[in-house]
Amino acid sequence: MFQPGPSARDLFEILVREHADMLTAFLRSLVHREDAVDDLFQETMLVAWRRLGDYDRTRPFAPWLRGIAARLAMARRRKGAIDAARCTPHALEFLEERFAALERLPGDSFLERSDRIRDCLQRLPAMLRESLDLAYGRGLALAEIAQSLDSSEEAVKKRVQRARALLAECMGTQEAAA
Amino acid sequence: MTGRTGDTPLAGAVGEARAGCIDPALLPELGESVGDRGGEQSADARWRDLAGELFVHGLLCNLRDDAEASRERRVRLAMSALPRRSVRVGRRTLVLWSEPRTFAPLAAAAMVLLAVGALSIFMARSEQSAAALVERSLAASGRAGDRSYAVTTVFDEAMPFTLPPARLDVRDREHQVLIAQTPDGRTFLAGRDAEGRWFRRPDGRMERLATPAGPGVPRWLEEAESLFLTDSIDEVLAALPREFTLRTEAAAPLPEGVGPPLQRESGDRAMRRVRAIRDDQQGPGPNRIELWIDPESRIVQRLELHWDDDPSPDLRAQRRVPWRRPPGCDPRGADPLGGFGRGPFVPREGEFVQRDAGRPMPPHPPAEGEAFGLQDPRGHRWVKELGPDPAQASERGPRPGVPGPTSRPWMGIPGQPPSKEGDHPTGSGPLVPRLPGGGDSRAGPDAPPPLLAAPQPRERARGQRPAGAPDPSRPGRPPRPRLIVFDLTGQAPLPPDWFSPQAHATATSTVPHD
């Protein structure tokens, strides 16, 4: 059995810090509520700590961490958590592909690599960018955005959805180029 | 661009507080992108599109967040949840904490919280498999209005009043307040209202817990002589129907209380009885629960949580599953990693114990001598005044000119005479048994009075310590309780704001959850 000592704990904290942003983004992709993100983050790290002896050090740490998080999220979905309804094996499989591809981009940290989405945001059509900004940047509700843009809620949903799809394509292009 | 408040897209602007990153109506959904693309898509393509949107959604939410502060908070919480030292016993991993100094003062109060959690479960949820009597009682609880329960904790039959009594006020499943006194003299105050859970810090400030306002209050579980908060109330509630077998017992009047004399409104009426036996006897929670339910009002009049060392053959025969669960069967739910096991319950965000670690000592209150007791908001003291506020003579040490802990009045049950050698002879408050040989990791004059005597080891099979017996290697640590009793003591209306933290604040500042 792996018996982590004080030094292992310190090293583990470094790993936690290094991967905290990545894991947070991954969990935010899976569950909606911030408290659920916090719960799963903590659970993931706790499980990783317990299972550190099983970790294959020849392989990258981030996918292993995401694997734990994905299993925990799926367990949450099996228990009926509504905000984890998207945590299906299919979605998780493709999501893992996206995060793995992002890690192949040049950059020193996850934040640096994920920051490329800002470039993609600038390339969005103004109307789509505005919708995204109201939804994510200002945190407005759907009805408020619709009122602000003098548009229907359904149209706003489509715009946000379309903007996300374009951003995914843009990021995918960058990942493919790398 | 409309709505831009920061220099960079999505950065710097913080919208209204909400549970998630965006309005849930705007979350990515499977299949919604099909129409945009036109034509039919394979299932894989639809999932891939959804994953792409989810991926972007996660990145955008991170962009909006204050990454540095958010990361630091999560890392700190995650690291604080890691066990310091663990041993594996069979398939279970027991976690032993290495900070008894920070843990012991609140451990006893946390034990009471354990009981509160169990009570809230019974009052908040109707089990599919529960007896109709319990279901009717649950329904009646929702209409019963304000109630107060006396909470008494028993560690051993020979010393029944180890913990000062506590009171639990309940309005409904979303409103309750627990007022307890810790063995070291602090008043422990925790509750919940419609906005969520809160508690009062030792320095008097109120703090809300950044946890969802789901049913129940923090449920503490005790294991390996340590206490742990379950990681998810929902999980506990979801697991409950599988953990207990309910059966009715012969009607009987309420038994004599184990705590102070109670003013019961029910008189000698016979109560409906329900016994709940936990199927898996190896977990940390109570393995037997007894209910007394008023046949007319259907309100739970008394609830007993029992930690039996070894259930009687009668109890064993009542269980639905074998005494030892089959290998590989984890009754607490599926193993998400295929065999690692969930392990122990660990303190989660908002847990009280480690939050005090390393914090500066609160200032001494300005005055002493103020009458102190558990004040019932209806206008009478539920527990008689206990002398100077014990919080003023806390474990932080005596102030100049103030008697030290050894002469601090004992807190206990009014009218309960000293019955054992070692009872404290001084102080204005009532006396409770004090046994010799106890101690605390805080040696010297700052040490609080010992909670329990040095143990008489009664080791059981598998190295288990019986309930009620302290750990010889961890002096001062409260042992596992044998029994926690909730007795209904009143049903008069409480002040409307009684369940809000403001009603109990002794300082005005509200500390955000870190």
Side-chain angles (χ1 to χ4, degrees):
Chain A
M1 177 188 157
F2 177 74
Q3 289 283 2
S7 60
R9 191 183 178 91
D10 294 341
L11 290 173
F12 186 74
E13 182 168 351
I14 294 173
L15 284 173
V16 171
R17 288 185 186 282
E18 185 180 342
H19 294 90
D21 294 322
M22 178 278 299
L23 185 61
T24 303
F26 184 73
L27 292 173
R28 281 175 168 156
S29 300
L30 297 177
V31 294
H32 171 58
R33 296 182 62 94
E34 278 297 297
D35 55 273
V37 171
D38 287 349
D39 280 352
L40 285 171
F41 185 96
Q42 195 168 343
E43 281 183 62
T44 302
M45 292 306 184
L46 189 58
V47 171
W49 170 252
R50 289 201 196 117
R51 303 287 292 180
L52 209 50
D54 300 336
Y55 166 57
D56 180 356
R57 300 183 185 196
T58 64
R59 307 183 71 173
F61 187 71
W64 185 68
L65 212 53
R66 287 197 297 269
I68 295 173
R71 288 172 184 271
L72 291 169
M74 280 196 289
R76 189 182 181 88
R77 175 175 175 265
R78 282 197 297 272
K79 289 170 186 169
I82 296 173
D83 69 342
R86 294 174 298 281
C87 303
T88 65
H90 273 92
L92 288 167
E93 178 188 344
F94 291 122
L95 191 61
E96 172 57 29
E97 283 183 10
R98 298 306 302 253
F99 273 88
L102 182 68
E103 282 165 2
R104 290 193 289 271
L105 289 175
D108 290 335
S109 67
F110 176 82
L111 277 186
E112 188 177 335
R113 287 186 284 268
S114 63
D115 234 23
R116 292 166 189 260
I117 201 169
R118 295 178 190 271
D119 298 333
C120 294
L121 274 167
Q122 297 298 343
R123 297 178 199 171
L124 282 180
M127 186 173 288
L128 299 185
R129 191 167 67 235
E130 187 174 15
S131 301
L132 266 194
D133 202 34
L134 292 173
Y136 284 92
R138 299 191 61 188
L140 298 186
L142 174 59
E144 294 170 322
I145 299 172
Q147 188 177 9
S148 173
L149 298 178
D150 196 19
S151 182
S152 70
E153 293 186 5
E154 196 57 35
V156 170
K157 281 182 72 172
K158 285 289 180 188
R159 280 184 208 169
V160 171
Q161 168 200 330
R162 182 68 181 150
R164 277 192 302 242
L166 287 174
L167 287 176
E169 280 186 20
C170 175
M171 292 295 287
T173 304
Q174 295 199 30
E175 291 157 5
Chain B
M1 188 166 86
T2 305
R4 286 279 301 277
T5 57
D7 295 333
T8 56
L10 306 176
V14 178
E16 61 176 299
R18 59 175 72 248
C21 169
I22 59 170
D23 186 339
L26 291 167
L27 288 172
E29 295 295 341
L30 178 65
E32 289 199 350
S33 61
V34 175
D36 286 346
R37 303 289 178 84
E40 290 294 322
Q41 279 188 298
S42 69
D44 267 7
R46 291 167 60 194
W47 283 112
R48 192 179 295 276
D49 284 349
L50 174 64
E53 273 200 63
L54 291 173
F55 170 67
V56 167
H57 170 73
L59 296 185
L60 292 176
C61 289
N62 261 27
L63 272 187
R64 170 184 161 170
D65 194 15
D66 180 356
E68 188 67 33
S70 169
R71 182 195 313 122
E72 196 55 37
R73 183 179 63 87
R74 287 197 173 87
V75 168
R76 196 167 60 250
L77 287 171
M79 292 306 296
S80 70
L82 298 187
R84 297 282 179 180
R85 193 155 55 91
S86 65
V87 294
R88 179 156 293 187
V89 180
R91 280 178 47 82
R92 301 175 66 202
T93 300
L94 304 183
V95 178
L96 310 175
W97 287 86
S98 60
E99 294 93 353
R101 190 183 168 88
T102 59
F103 192 84
L106 291 176
M111 284 181 179
V112 177
L113 270 187
L114 158 67
V116 174
L119 178 64
S120 70
I121 289 169
F122 267 82
M123 300 179 69
R125 179 183 171 107
S126 174
E127 301 175 335
Q128 292 292 327
S129 60
L133 180 59
V134 175
E135 292 189 1
R136 287 197 296 270
S137 177
L138 288 167
S141 290
R143 305 185 296 267
D146 296 346
R147 285 149 287 158
S148 293
Y149 288 87
V151 186
T152 311
T153 304
V154 177
F155 290 100
D156 192 276
E157 292 83 353
M159 41 181 181
F161 303 125
T162 304
L163 276 186
R167 191 183 80 224
L168 176 71
D169 295 331
V170 179
R171 175 163 293 164
D172 52 39
R173 57 195 296 176
E174 282 191 346
H175 294 83
Q176 51 194 22
V177 170
L178 172 73
I179 306 172
Q181 289 175 269
T182 64
D184 63 343
R186 283 190 258 165
T187 298
F188 184 89
L189 217 157
R192 60 171 288 132
D193 58 12
E195 297 177 33
R197 290 174 280 171
W198 54 266
F199 72 99
R200 191 168 72 186
R201 296 182 51 82
D203 58 8
R205 291 178 299 173
M206 308 308 291
E207 184 163 354
R208 276 201 180 275
L209 304 185
T211 47
V217 297
R219 188 188 186 207
W220 290 83
L221 295 176
E222 183 266 347
E223 185 174 31
E225 275 67 62
S226 289
L227 291 158
F228 303 95
L229 180 63
T230 55
D231 50 358
S232 165
I233 294 293
D234 289 344
E235 287 182 6
V236 174
L237 294 176
L240 188 65
R242 298 195 305 270
E243 293 181 6
F244 284 86
T245 300
L246 305 181
R247 86 170 193 190
T248 55
E249 300 282 309
L254 289 169
E256 289 298 319
V258 294
L262 300 170
Q263 296 295 325
R264 286 169 169 160
E265 299 173 357
S266 58
D268 293 330
R269 275 184 294 156
M271 298 287 155
R272 303 292 301 273
R273 295 270 293 105
V274 173
R275 172 172 293 183
I277 306 295
R278 201 173 57 166
D279 299 327
D280 175 19
Q281 295 284 323
Q282 297 189 39
N287 45 17
R288 176 164 60 94
I289 296 177
E290 305 281 353
L291 284 169
W292 278 259
I293 299 173
D294 188 299
E296 295 176 6
S297 69
R298 293 170 179 168
I299 300 299
V300 172
Q301 300 286 315
R302 180 183 173 94
L303 175 131
E304 294 180 354
L305 309 181
H306 291 261
W307 281 262
D308 299 319
D309 285 343
D310 189 14
S312 66
D314 175 52
L315 294 183
R316 279 200 293 271
Q318 295 169 19
R319 286 197 298 273
R320 293 175 295 193
V321 297
W323 171 237
R324 293 184 183 280
R325 63 174 179 265
C329 171
D330 186 347
R332 291 176 295 181
D335 187 336
L337 275 189
F340 67 78
R342 284 188 56 201
F345 297 104
V346 296
R348 302 288 299 178
E349 178 178 359
E351 56 90 8
F352 309 136
V353 177
Q354 290 204 335
R355 299 175 66 82
D356 285 339
R359 290 180 183 270
M361 297 297 109
H364 286 293
E368 63 172 332
E370 181 182 352
F372 178 80
L374 297 183
Q375 177 72 47
D376 190 306
R378 302 177 185 92
H380 62 275
R381 286 194 181 276
W382 178 72
V383 173
K384 85 172 213 180
E385 294 174 359
L386 301 169
D389 185 345
Q392 297 180 13
S394 70
E395 80 286 358
R396 313 304 185 195
R399 287 184 296 157
V402 176
T406 54
S407 60
R408 179 169 60 83
W410 277 87
M411 294 166 295
I413 311 300
Q416 182 66 22
S419 57
K420 285 186 177 295
E421 182 181 355
D423 283 354
H424 205 288
T426 63
S428 60
L431 301 179
V432 295
R434 181 185 184 184
L435 302 179
D440 190 273
S441 58
R442 290 163 292 183
D446 285 349
L451 177 67
L452 289 173
Q456 301 297 319
R458 290 186 293 164
E459 299 297 327
R460 293 294 199 267
R462 311 196 319 273
Q464 286 185 337
R465 204 180 322 283
D471 183 346
S473 65
R474 300 154 72 82
R477 181 69 56 86
R480 297 171 59 190
R482 282 187 176 278
L483 170 65
I484 298 180
V485 180
F486 294 81
D487 274 303
L488 184 67
T489 56
Q491 288 188 260
L494 293 159
D497 64 344
W498 181 246
F499 299 91
S500 70
Q502 289 76 18
H504 304 274
T506 55
T508 54
S509 62
T510 297
V511 182
H513 187 78
D514 55 359

